[in-house]
Amino acid sequence: MSTKPQFVICIKNEDYPASLQLWKVYRVLPDEKGARHNMIRVVDESGEDYLFSASYFVPVKLPQAVKSAILATA
């Protein structure tokens, strides 16, 4: 698993509308066990990290300035 920060955009939240906002960028936290089950770990709207189906997200490459700004708030 990569140690570089990875980001995704939420494209589906029908089962978790209070936890995930559509079109919002989320940082992916490393979770090898979850990845084996096609799940990714993100910090949701509650501020806690949970596993969600990877099908709810699309990976994105962000400009370095955006990455730095997001990581500075984490």
Side-chain angles (χ1 to χ4, degrees):
M1 178 172 272
S2 173
T3 58
K4 293 181 181 178
Q6 297 178 327
F7 299 91
V8 292
I9 292 180
C10 177
I11 60 167
K12 180 178 171 185
N13 72 345
E14 61 195 34
D15 294 325
Y16 307 99
S19 300
L20 299 172
Q21 289 184 9
L22 287 175
W23 317 123
K24 183 174 179 178
V25 175
Y26 291 92
R27 181 178 177 193
V28 177
L29 301 177
D31 190 313
E32 291 183 28
K33 192 173 184 178
R36 287 195 295 265
H37 298 282
N38 203 26
M39 307 283 281
I40 60 173
R41 183 172 297 280
V42 300
V43 177
D44 72 3
E45 298 306 313
S46 73
E48 300 292 328
D49 59 285
Y50 292 100
L51 287 170
F52 294 94
S53 172
S55 67
Y56 282 41
F57 305 92
V58 172
V60 292
K61 288 188 174 187
L62 300 175
Q64 186 58 46
V66 176
K67 285 183 193 178
S68 297
I70 290 173
L71 294 173
T73 63

